[in-house]
Amino acid sequence: MATTTLSPATSDVERPRPERRASAFSTARAQRRYWVTVAVLVGLAALFGFGLIAWANPMPFGTSGFWLIAQHRGVAVFVMALVAICQALATVAFQTVTNNRILTPSIMGFESLYRAIQTTSVYLFGLAGLISFTGVTAFIVQVGAMMGLACALYGWLLSGRYANLQVMLLIGIVIGGGLGSVSSFMQRLLTPSEFDVLAARMFGSVSNANAAYFPVAIPLIVVAGGVLWFMSRSLNTLSLGRDAAVNLGVNHRRTTIIVLVAASALIATSTALVGPLTFLGFLVATLAYQFADTFDHRYIFPVAALVGFVVLSAAYFIMNFIFYGSGVVSIIIELVGGTVFLIVILKKGRL
């Protein structure tokens, strides 16, 4: 019995090969879902941002008093946007470099250093020292101190012959714990009135920010954020691991140092601007990974920034105009972020 065989050309025609797709998204459906998510986040951001500016304004609409109050509230909303960008970009980039989605830049001791600076000013100079340690000069000193700590760690531990990222993280934890212990010791020696005023500085709040800081903060955020944005493709490669990144032609050590310095500049600016927000970055990054559903940092960064602004603005709107408890906003954010942190750890079973 004769058999017929298909030539290679005929076989290719009748059985076409599956289409190969080189994209940041696995399917076209995932891409559409991404843009729908972005549209929803933009809508929520606009809704809560406008609500914070215009809701419950005691002055009639269109009057000079209305616009004066709206302008004051608009500064707070703008600060939320800056903090959201700082926390989102810095945390996502830091987790990519460390190849760990649980670690955050606060582990390097930035917030402990902020608390130590504030506590030392009260311990040495009293309430007058804390009140006088405000303004642009104080803001620059705090950002400079935190950036100095970061650059010293990265330059010493990542540029040497035996560069080790894990050792750097451990030393950052030790430095943060040591600064926290020193701060606690000095706080115990303060008078009740001094401690009460200092405690207000220890919680992150947009009321701590001042529009006079913007000429310094905005350029820092633009430069550091721009560096991370333009290094998005390198971050995509770093997410594959050190060996894969080196094999693909990436200078792993130099790229890691640049990314860490840029992330440190963002976190230092955010912390000096509004105070410590330990778990905000972790919460924002975790939600961004779920919403974006892609490995490409060009798409993760915008989602993370939008999520950060929605979380902050929604929290302030709900607490200010529904529960009338604006002072506990940062505590609520930290509580939710800490709960998500524990859930992720228990789910993964490791750090």
Side-chain angles (χ1 to χ4, degrees):
M1 182 178 180
T3 59
T4 59
T5 59
L6 294 175
S7 65
T10 305
S11 178
D12 290 341
V13 171
E14 294 185 0
R15 290 179 293 180
R17 296 176 181 177
E19 178 185 358
R20 292 186 177 181
R21 186 180 180 87
S23 173
F25 303 95
S26 57
T27 62
R29 180 180 179 183
Q31 186 174 9
R32 289 194 299 268
R33 187 177 66 178
Y34 172 85
W35 290 114
V36 170
T37 302
V38 170
V40 171
L41 290 174
V42 169
L44 290 175
L47 177 64
F48 287 117
F50 179 78
L52 285 172
I53 293 175
W55 187 269
N57 192 318
M59 304 301 294
F61 179 78
T63 62
S64 59
F66 176 90
W67 293 116
L68 183 63
I69 295 175
Q71 181 180 4
H72 177 73
R73 292 180 177 182
V75 173
V77 173
F78 184 68
V79 171
M80 294 179 197
L82 294 180
V83 172
I85 293 173
C86 290
Q87 294 284 340
L89 270 62
T91 304
V92 171
F94 187 86
Q95 291 180 347
T96 298
V97 168
T98 58
N99 198 22
N100 192 309
R101 290 192 174 183
I102 292 180
L103 299 177
T104 63
S106 61
I107 197 175
M108 301 307 299
F110 295 143
E111 295 177 357
S112 297
L113 180 59
Y114 172 84
R115 292 188 175 96
I117 293 174
Q118 298 292 330
T119 305
T120 302
S121 62
V122 178
Y123 180 77
L124 295 179
F125 306 107
L127 290 178
L130 182 64
I131 295 174
S132 62
F133 192 66
T134 56
V136 178
T137 302
F139 178 78
I140 295 175
V141 169
Q142 293 179 74
V143 173
M146 285 183 271
M147 284 298 300
L149 172 64
C151 292
L153 283 175
Y154 304 151
W156 173 42
L157 295 173
L158 293 181
S159 299
R161 181 179 179 184
Y162 303 103
N164 192 310
L165 186 63
Q166 286 70 34
V167 172
M168 182 200 71
L169 295 175
L170 290 175
I171 292 179
I173 294 174
V174 172
I175 293 176
L179 291 174
S181 299
V182 172
S183 300
S184 298
F185 172 75
M186 289 189 292
Q187 289 172 11
R188 290 180 179 273
L189 301 179
L190 299 177
T191 63
S193 58
E194 292 174 338
F195 180 80
D196 184 54
V197 175
L198 176 64
R201 294 282 190 94
M202 296 296 100
F203 294 100
S205 174
V206 296
S207 61
N208 294 334
N210 191 328
Y213 302 160
F214 292 165
V216 178
I218 293 176
L220 283 174
I221 295 172
V222 170
V223 172
V227 168
L228 294 180
W229 175 262
F230 285 111
M231 296 186 68
S232 296
R233 296 184 183 276
S234 298
L235 287 170
N236 295 342
T237 308
L238 288 179
S239 64
L240 301 175
R242 183 183 183 279
D243 294 338
V246 172
N247 290 333
L248 291 173
V250 175
N251 189 326
H252 186 271
R253 182 180 300 179
R254 184 184 66 184
T255 305
T256 298
I257 292 176
I258 293 174
V259 171
L260 288 176
V261 170
S264 301
L266 292 175
I267 290 298
T269 303
S270 172
T271 304
L273 195 62
V274 301
L277 294 169
T278 305
F279 289 107
L280 176 63
F282 173 81
L283 176 63
V284 168
T286 301
L287 294 176
Y289 296 139
Q290 299 297 321
F291 292 157
D293 193 22
T294 180
F295 65 89
D296 197 331
H297 287 73
R298 293 175 300 172
Y299 297 95
I300 297 176
F301 281 150
V303 172
L306 286 171
V307 170
F309 181 77
V310 169
V311 169
L312 278 176
S313 59
Y316 272 92
F317 181 85
I318 293 172
M319 298 308 299
N320 284 353
F321 301 122
I322 296 180
F323 296 105
Y324 303 99
S326 59
V328 298
V329 169
S330 61
I331 300 176
I332 299 300
I333 293 176
E334 298 300 294
L335 177 62
V336 175
T339 303
V340 175
F341 179 81
L342 292 176
I343 293 174
V344 172
I345 287 183
L346 293 175
K347 184 177 180 180
K348 295 185 65 174
R350 61 182 178 85
L351 287 174

